[in-house]
Amino acid sequence: MFNCPIMQKALLYKIIALWSSFILLHTEVVFAEDFALTLPSDLRQKIVSHEGFYITDQETVGIKDNTYHAMGGVGKLLLTLVTLRLAGDGILTLDEAVAKTPNTLLDDQPFKVAITPRHLLTETAGFAVPPVIYSAANLKSYASEVRSAGKMAHHDPVGWAILIRLLEQKTGKPILKIIDDTLLLPLGLPITSLKVIDAKNPLLFLRGLKGTEQLLASLTRIIATNRSPYNTAPFLDSTLYQQLTGTLSWRMHPMGPSRTLGLGLHTTSHQHWFELFRTPYGNTSIMVFPAENIGFAYFGTDPEGFRADVIQFANSKLAPNPTSEASDTNALTSKTRINGLYTITEAPAEWLQTRLHQIRYGTIRLADSKDGTTLIVSKENTEEVPAPRVFRKVAPLYYVDAKGNTISFSPYKQGGYMMLDDHLYRFVGLIGDKRLVLDLVVPFFLLLLSSGIYIFRKRHTAWRRMGLTGLLGTLLITFGVAAEYYLWPKVVFLWDMPALVTLWRILLNAGIALTLSLPLFTLSFARKQKMPTGPFSILLVPLHLCLVSVAALGLFIILVAWGVAGNF
């Protein structure tokens, strides 16, 4: 009955899972008084007060029995380990084109950078972050690429959903069965270690993921030691573990944010470690120092304080573990001055409303000194103007302030992207200036609408034609912009009617073409000397036509900056 090797292996995993669960449920884990590394009292208190735990090479300290926590970003680690295990079994490779696997919802386009599992695991596939996720929506509607794969990293729920679809297509199993067979059973954990709200919708999978502290401790231990709690054999083979914890798959700057597969790498002058921090849908924070085989987890209400405590502990108690960023940084050169406006872009958006919100509330201005040694950062577009922050240059494209906060710029486009306070910004220049691309919109629309007054000049056909053209064009633009601003998510994601979006964009661009004819009407009237000659009209009408012409050209430039002009 059990002659099949696969069945024997599955039975062995089941036995290990049942035995491990029994041991964990009947064993009280206590704080180790003789642990060689003495934790600071405040950090120790957080662990003792049931807000977290830590693991070492030999033990787990502070874990509770069957307490569940929303996993948040730790769910990404879970999917990463599943993917690496499948790669180790030869079911997939990390650098294969995802689009070549049927039913992964991506089109195989030979003239674009192919998205690979490596891009999905490092969140560099370039998908737009959806403003809202509807449970009944089609996943393909969300697979919109706004950046080339491999350029910049950002929180990418669509990329993880595509990865889940890829794993299901590769194995022919639902994702929960894959996790159970590939991860939980080898770790000796039952399927009840994981709770999922919606396993059928890949976009909502991570949002509803909860895990026991036993599971979270096992995942933390894999990062720190590459072993499960009850098995001395490596969980991943050495090559895959190196890619998980040692090989950088993406970095923006040698001293700035970097990523391995599924993990964010952080550095100081003394240490480097991995973080999986809480998200809006998860309260779990994990910090791991693989060089010392130690990891921390926290579920309390002060994650930033916890992070500061752990970093202080690591710098004072752990052996220095510097990296090679210094030599890599010295090879960089900065040929341009860092000046201008930067807008937050950690969630690249396809929806007009989100992009305008980023300009209004997420724009900062940078100004460097003439010698390039000082950088002044000031907040734009806010009612309360905070004091500017001053940063000193310590390396090419890398600055530090008096509190130790850093700014790192991408060598790509010589500072085209910037990381400040763990937020990603991109250079936008004048198109990020609220006074130009937001404040002038309403006056321009009112001026263009006022061109309709010339419809009532009954004796002058050309003037009536201009008034009708201006009024119709303005109404079409208003309708198109309003549809983009208010209706786009429902039409694209919920109704799945992209043809309707194309229709209103055609009307919007037709309206732009009509309003751009207004300056031509003005030039024609001036050249043919058809301006009115009344005592008031001779002064007011030419002025009005000039303002209308400026409004037509200005609104066109604004709509280009918004990304709607010429977009179908």
Side-chain angles (χ1 to χ4, degrees):
M1 177 178 179
F2 296 107
N3 291 332
C4 175
I6 296 178
M7 295 182 65
Q8 293 175 351
K9 188 176 181 180
L11 179 61
L12 178 61
Y13 282 155
K14 290 285 187 182
I15 294 173
I16 294 173
L18 291 173
W19 177 249
S20 302
S21 299
F22 177 82
I23 294 296
L24 287 170
L25 287 172
H26 294 82
T27 301
E28 182 180 4
V29 183
V30 298
F31 205 100
E33 296 293 343
D34 58 347
F35 180 51
L37 297 175
T38 304
L39 295 177
S41 58
D42 51 355
L43 184 57
R44 172 179 172 142
Q45 180 60 32
K46 286 182 178 179
I47 294 177
V48 174
S49 63
H50 308 290
E51 291 186 319
F53 63 81
Y54 77 82
I55 64 98
T56 70
D57 192 27
Q58 302 295 330
E59 58 189 346
T60 302
V61 181
I63 191 173
K64 274 68 70 179
D65 286 340
N66 286 326
T67 305
Y68 285 88
H69 297 281
M71 297 179 70
V74 183
K76 301 175 183 180
L77 171 62
L78 183 143
L79 292 177
T80 299
L81 293 176
V82 168
T83 304
L84 293 178
R85 293 276 291 189
L86 293 176
D89 293 338
I91 295 175
L92 55 82
T93 64
L94 297 177
D95 295 307
E96 66 178 71
V98 175
K100 293 189 179 297
T101 300
N103 300 320
T104 53
L105 306 180
L106 299 184
D107 298 324
D108 188 9
Q109 301 183 21
F111 299 105
K112 295 182 65 176
V113 177
I115 294 175
T116 66
R118 188 181 303 277
H119 292 134
L120 300 177
L121 294 175
T122 55
E123 298 188 298
T124 58
F127 293 110
V129 176
V132 62
I133 295 178
Y134 297 101
S135 58
N138 182 2
L139 176 58
K140 187 173 179 60
S141 301
Y142 289 92
S144 176
E145 300 172 49
V146 294
R147 292 177 182 154
S148 297
K151 282 190 175 180
M152 300 304 298
H154 65 271
H155 169 59
D156 188 6
V158 176
W160 292 106
I162 296 294
L163 178 66
I164 291 174
R165 177 62 67 91
L166 173 68
L167 300 181
E168 291 178 335
Q169 294 299 315
K170 285 286 188 179
T171 61
K173 303 175 185 178
I175 187 60
L176 278 182
K177 179 62 175 173
I178 300 172
I179 293 173
D180 190 26
D181 293 345
T182 310
L183 186 70
L184 297 181
L185 285 175
L187 288 175
L189 295 173
I191 188 62
T192 53
S193 300
L194 200 64
K195 286 184 178 180
V196 182
I197 294 178
D198 190 348
K200 295 182 179 180
N201 189 336
L203 284 165
L204 297 174
F205 182 81
L206 289 177
R207 291 196 174 192
L209 207 57
K210 292 185 177 181
T212 62
E213 292 193 12
Q214 301 163 12
L215 172 59
L216 296 172
S218 296
L219 298 178
T220 305
R221 184 176 295 278
I222 291 173
I223 305 176
T225 68
N226 194 24
R227 294 198 307 273
S228 66
Y230 308 102
N231 193 342
T232 57
F235 186 79
L236 299 171
D237 69 48
S238 59
T239 302
L240 292 174
Y241 182 69
Q242 175 67 19
Q243 296 205 53
L244 176 68
T245 61
T247 302
L248 295 182
S249 293
W250 174 87
R251 73 178 180 183
M252 192 182 81
H253 184 279
M255 298 176 68
S258 305
R259 296 200 180 194
T260 61
L261 296 180
L263 296 172
L265 177 64
H266 296 257
T267 63
T268 66
S269 58
H270 302 287
Q271 294 290 336
H272 68 272
W273 68 93
F274 295 100
E275 285 187 13
L276 288 164
F277 239 52
R278 63 180 56 211
T279 65
Y281 46 89
N283 68 332
T284 304
S285 304
I286 287 180
M287 297 178 66
V288 183
F289 298 79
E292 299 290 340
N293 301 132
I294 184 171
F296 300 84
Y298 180 70
F299 317 108
T301 58
D302 184 23
E304 292 300 327
F306 164 77
R307 182 179 188 271
D309 290 342
V310 170
I311 293 175
Q312 182 180 2
F313 159 75
N315 289 335
S316 61
K317 297 293 184 179
L318 301 184
N321 187 28
T323 56
S324 61
E325 283 85 5
S327 59
D328 295 339
T329 302
N330 292 334
L332 295 177
T333 58
S334 178
K335 299 179 180 179
T336 58
R337 294 181 60 188
I338 305 296
N339 278 304
L341 296 175
Y342 283 73
T343 293
I344 196 165
T345 184
E346 58 188 354
E350 198 175 16
W351 188 20
L352 176 63
Q353 186 177 123
T354 304
R355 297 201 301 270
L356 297 187
H357 187 273
Q358 290 173 345
I359 292 175
R360 181 175 292 278
Y361 300 107
T363 301
I364 61 176
R365 182 180 296 276
L366 304 185
D368 67 355
S369 58
K370 293 182 179 179
D371 59 4
T373 60
T374 305
L375 189 66
I376 299 176
V377 180
S378 56
K379 189 75 174 177
E380 289 281 305
N381 308 337
T382 56
E383 295 181 359
E384 296 182 2
V385 181
R389 301 167 62 182
V390 180
F391 291 76
R392 305 292 180 182
K393 184 176 181 179
V394 298
L397 301 173
Y398 191 79
Y399 297 76
V400 180
D401 70 1
K403 296 181 179 180
N405 300 309
T406 64
I407 296 181
S408 56
F409 294 88
S410 65
Y412 174 69
K413 292 188 176 180
Q414 283 287 292
Y417 289 90
M418 174 194 71
M419 186 70 71
L420 170 64
D421 298 332
D422 291 328
H423 296 298
L424 181 65
Y425 294 79
R426 65 182 176 91
F427 178 77
V428 290
L430 291 177
I431 65 173
D433 193 330
K434 181 179 75 78
R435 294 166 297 183
L436 297 179
V437 299
L438 295 179
D439 294 348
L440 291 176
V441 172
V442 172
F444 283 171
F445 267 108
L446 294 177
L447 280 170
L448 291 174
L449 284 173
S450 69
S451 65
I453 62 175
Y454 298 110
I455 295 174
F456 304 103
R457 293 180 65 89
K458 298 182 180 180
R459 297 182 180 180
H460 304 280
T461 304
W463 286 82
R464 292 201 305 272
R465 188 180 299 119
M466 182 190 70
L468 182 61
T469 298
L471 181 61
L472 179 60
T474 306
L475 292 177
L476 289 176
I477 293 175
T478 303
F479 168 74
V481 170
E484 286 281 343
Y485 194 87
Y486 294 107
L487 300 179
W488 184 84
K490 283 190 176 180
V491 173
V492 173
F493 302 137
L494 189 59
W495 302 346
D496 194 18
M497 297 178 63
L500 185 57
V501 177
T502 302
L503 175 60
W504 79 50
R505 287 178 177 176
I506 291 174
L507 295 177
L508 187 151
N509 283 278
I512 292 175
L514 290 175
T515 56
L516 286 178
S517 68
L518 295 179
L520 300 179
F521 275 105
T522 300
L523 291 174
S524 175
F525 293 154
R527 182 172 59 85
K528 295 180 180 180
Q529 297 183 349
K530 289 187 176 182
M531 292 292 180
T533 57
F536 295 103
S537 300
I538 196 172
L539 295 176
L540 297 180
V541 171
L543 177 61
H544 180 250
L545 290 179
C546 288
L547 292 175
V548 168
S549 300
V550 170
L553 295 173
L555 185 61
F556 169 68
I557 294 173
I558 289 174
L559 294 178
V560 170
W562 287 4
V564 296
N567 182 19
F568 296 95

